[in-house]
Amino acid sequence: MGSIARSSRHVDWLCRDCLKWETSGTVPNRCPACGSPRMRSHDELFALSIAHVDCDAFYASVEKRDDPSLRDKPLIIGGGARGVVSTCCYIARQFGVRSAMPMFKARELCPDAVIIKPNMQKYVDVSRQIRRHMDALTPLVEPISIDEAFLDLTGTERVHKAPPALSLARFAKTIAEKIGVTISVGLSHNKFLAKVASDLDKPRGFAVIGKAETLTFLAPKPISLIYGVGKVFSETLKKDGYHTIGQLQDEDPIRLMKLYGEAGSRLARLSQGQDARKVSVDSEMKSISSETTFNTDIATLEDLSTELLKCTERLSERLKAKNVVGDTVTLKLKTSGFRLRTRARHLMMPTQLANVLYEAGMSLLQREADGTPFRLIGIGVSGLEAADGFDPVDLLEPLVARKAAAERAMDSVRSRFGRAAVVRGRLYTSRPDNQSAPASEEEAEDLESKFR
Ligand SMILES: [Mg+2]
């Protein structure tokens, strides 16, 4: 951690085993109290309070906990309806097995792996137990999936009589001892960096990114480290000559905005390690969605995309009515055999615009429309927040601005004359026998809690 070179200054340190903590001129290699080498030291350790907590190979850890004979074996959780790896333990990872990999490929790489079908109810129960321990740390817990959450521990020192870093180390120890799974902690000064940190030192990690090192830490990293920068956008950036975050740091923000609109200004901010998002209890798993069950099954991309567009229009209307935007789009499909497929995609910017939501939905749909007959399609958006300030009519991005303006004009006509007054050209092409009834508002509201 570079603490030896700066030994004239005072450095914060803690022992992750016995939880001794101190600020001193020198950092011992081993804990002076218990002798453990599991020390964490950093200039800003006791000043930082935004954390991302992520369970290590969660499903696999739970199964190993419940069957100790699996402990030293490569373990893969998967092989459900989708035929892909849900989670694999760290031993299986050494063979190259990864999450979301097709099962046949995982078996090829690791023929000796033990394969277990996921037991979601069990994982949800364990997740709830972990959540209760989080709630005891701070009221500001923002779960982002079954096994990870952001925590804001600002101002908790007095209650816990310890800095946030120590509360987190104690939490990690408690979860390992009482629940029997291990977690990794990322500690920093905002959500973006906390999430990056939790991935640095897995499993059983505890990584810190301080304010002072933020720029130098980010500079050599690939731009794909920035959340929401997917493959397509990465490729665009590469073509334009941007490979590392450092290149974005050195670029004029105005130029980035000219090139990429709002996404450019977001890149400019995040490349500097600036992320103003609050750890928000409200956005917890909430989503809004719209779905349609067809009268007859649909298999072609063209017909499915027409239905998707109709659902997206309704979804966008509801987001606008509630004055919220969201940043994660989920596509839901049900096959004629009642198998559910859900696919999600993170957006660069939160939105309520039908155009943007539809494009994201289509990119997911294109991969799923493989000739399978479907009986239902739906689209949802989560990561909701107040709409103020998003989807701005951005003069620097004329295409987005034009789309947004056209969409707003359409909305205002609809609000006066009803939805049927303006129908997108695309919808005229749909076949009459696939004109399925839109879900009623009550139905749609009811779906919110189920749609993940
Ligand atoms: Mg995890």
Side-chain angles (χ1 to χ4, degrees), residues 54-55 147 202:
D54 189 7
C55 298
D147 76 328
K202 269 182 158 295

Side-chain angles (χ1 to χ4, degrees), residues 287-290 315 328-332 357 378-382 451:
S287 68
I288 297 183
S289 65
S290 169
L315 172 64
T328 304
V329 174
T330 306
L331 173 75
K332 177 179 176 182
L357 295 167
I379 183 166
V381 62
S382 55
F451 201 105

Side-chain angles (χ1 to χ4, degrees), residues 291-353:
E291 63 181 48
T292 293
T293 303
F294 313 133
N295 296 330
T296 50
D297 292 348
I298 295 182
T300 70
L301 177 62
E302 200 194 347
D303 292 345
L304 286 166
S305 62
T306 303
E307 296 301 328
L308 178 65
L309 181 54
K310 286 191 271 190
C311 287
T312 309
E313 300 255 333
R314 289 200 298 275
L315 172 64
S316 171
E317 275 173 35
R318 299 183 56 222
L319 291 167
K320 286 164 186 164
K322 288 173 192 279
N323 198 34
V324 291
V325 291
D327 68 358
T328 304
V329 174
T330 306
L331 173 75
K332 177 179 176 182
L333 289 161
K334 202 180 274 176
T335 67
S336 53
F338 288 86
R339 284 203 164 156
L340 193 63
R341 291 189 195 175
T342 59
R343 302 286 181 269
R345 199 181 140 180
H346 201 85
L347 299 172
M348 275 297 287
M349 293 281 302
T351 191
Q352 56 178 206
L353 294 176

Side-chain angles (χ1 to χ4, degrees), residues 140-143 150 191 277-284 384:
L140 292 178
V141 177
E142 180 185 347
F150 286 111
K191 283 164 82 171
R277 292 174 305 154
K278 298 253 173 293
V279 173
S280 148
V281 182
D282 292 340
S283 72
E284 183 182 331
L384 301 179

